[in-house]
Amino acid sequence: MLSKFGIQFKYTLVFVITLILIITGLLIGVYHLKQRQLRNEAMAVAEQVVAFRAWVAGAGVVWVDHLAPEFRDFLGKRTGVDANAKVLEFYSKNPALATRELSELANKTATRATFRVTSDEYRNPANAPDGFEQASLQAFKSDKERKYNDVLEGGFYRYSQPIFVQQSCLKCHGDPKDAPPEVIEKYGNKAAFGYKVGDVRGIISVKLPDVTLTDVLSSVLNPYTLGLIALAFLLNFFYAQRAIIARLKTLAKTTERLAHGELDLPLETRPGSRDEVDYVTRAIDLLRNSLVIAMRRLQKTGS
């Protein structure tokens, strides 16, 4: 079918197809790059949460001298007296409470990433896992070597990584008999007990807005990129036009004239050139010379 068209059309068609393939490959590469970027961003948030929880767990609990209006929950309470005989009250926050308050505070001001900590053995109904988080918990429990779980869901990138039970966690999540009285008083002796070191206690769940195809296209197909693509097209087009097509047309016309008996027409050949058009020109020149010799011999024979 393409035999009906000239080299110029075929060359342009091949160039356009090549350009489409390059852009498609570039978009696929950018897609995988943005996936990695989203994962790295979510992982950085999760690692900060891990460090914060480890700091609180290392101290057992943190104590505050008053409760913020929006964070009235606490684990234990102690009172004391200062030098002026004024009664002071102190409230303890365990890792779960401290992390939940941190997430609520951070999520209110977050421009991109939001996070929370959840578990299938939750003590607070507000911490119940959603579908993605429940699936992540099952995945981590099935494969302890799994580092993370992620998915694109509803225009968001969802990421989770497991929280493993450490020795310091067993005080509140091991045997209920060893738990502090305030833990039993607040949560009872049933929920979130019986863990061993290395068990999956829960997950850190991070949510980020996904990078859309429009965002990718606006980044890739910017004026500079489009300008370079247009320049590449023009360079290839004019090179093909002048260096190949125009020379082939000239050679074709010259060959037709030779076929009509104009054997003294000059052929522009460039000795030593590896250009395919020059190869064809030299071959036609040899053919013309052979034809001239053959005609001379015929003339001598005839005379």
Side-chain angles (χ1 to χ4, degrees), residues 69-102:
E70 65 271 30
F71 302 122
R72 305 297 300 176
D73 205 0
F74 62 91
L75 181 63
K77 180 178 179 180
R78 291 180 182 176
T79 58
V81 179
D82 65 8
N84 299 319
K86 180 181 177 181
V87 177
L88 302 176
E89 294 181 330
F90 298 94
Y91 305 90
S92 64
K93 307 274 188 175
N94 61 355
L97 279 176
T99 307
R100 191 181 76 202
E101 293 180 7
L102 174 65

Side-chain angles (χ1 to χ4, degrees), residues 160-226:
S160 64
Q161 71 179 51
I163 299 173
F164 294 104
V165 174
Q166 308 295 327
Q167 186 65 40
S168 59
C169 305
L170 295 181
K171 183 177 181 181
C172 297
H173 296 289
D175 192 329
K177 297 178 181 178
D178 301 327
E182 56 267 26
V183 172
I184 301 299
E185 181 180 351
K186 186 174 183 62
Y187 300 115
N189 61 356
K190 303 296 183 183
F193 285 109
Y195 285 93
K196 301 183 296 296
V197 172
D199 287 346
V200 176
R201 171 66 187 100
I203 61 169
I204 301 170
S205 177
V206 183
K207 181 187 287 188
L208 285 163
D210 185 25
V211 179
T212 64
L213 181 59
T214 303
D215 297 328
V216 174
L217 289 176
S218 63
S219 298
V220 176
L221 301 181
N222 54 70
Y224 298 102
T225 304
L226 292 175

Side-chain angles (χ1 to χ4, degrees), residues 133-152:
E133 293 162 344
Q134 187 65 49
S136 296
L137 285 162
Q138 295 304 317
F140 294 134
K141 288 186 175 183
S142 300
D143 182 6
K144 295 290 184 67
E145 300 299 319
R146 191 182 184 110
K147 302 298 182 182
Y148 66 88
N149 189 39
D150 62 348
V151 70
L152 290 174

